[in-house]
Amino acid sequence: MTRAILLNDSDNVATLIDDGSSGDNCVLQGEGTGTVKLAKDIPFGHKIAVKDVDNGGEIIKYGQVIGLATEAIPTGQHAHVHNIESRRGRGDQSA
């Protein structure tokens, strides 16, 4: 079983606590529950979209904006540096 932690009800990404394979139903645990079907293989510790995120949309984790999507990220897709521009820990951007 593939599992992911949803840290806040308002989050649109969750963090995998198991390696996930394409087509797996990933069980959400934590502040939210449910399942998300993985669109591709995603390694442990990486994020998945639990809601559709539009290109330029905010990536929300911990109930806070941590970045912006650089492309549309459908539910179940890998959400990582290839499609997110970070907003945390940058002196040139407000969080």
Side-chain angles (χ1 to χ4, degrees):
M1 170 175 55
T2 304
R3 300 166 298 157
I5 297 287
L6 190 64
L7 297 170
N8 187 290
D9 240 0
S10 65
D11 292 353
N12 57 12
V13 294
T15 303
L16 288 181
I17 56 175
D18 303 297
D19 287 327
S21 297
S22 180
D24 283 356
N25 284 319
C26 178
V27 177
L28 302 177
Q29 301 176 335
E31 290 297 311
T33 59
T35 60
V36 173
K37 188 171 195 161
L38 299 183
K40 61 189 309 186
D41 294 350
I42 303 171
F44 162 83
H46 286 233
K47 295 178 293 301
I48 58 165
V50 297
K51 301 173 186 170
D52 291 344
V53 181
D54 293 330
N55 184 12
E58 295 177 335
I59 303 298
I60 303 170
K61 185 175 176 182
Y62 323 105
Q64 303 291 316
V65 175
I66 64 165
L68 297 178
T70 59
E71 61 186 50
I73 308 173
T75 301
Q77 278 288 355
H78 190 194
H80 198 56
V81 298
H82 67 283
N83 56 11
I84 298 173
E85 182 180 304
S86 179
R87 289 289 188 247
R88 303 210 28 110
R90 290 184 56 170
D92 65 330
Q93 301 284 330
S94 60

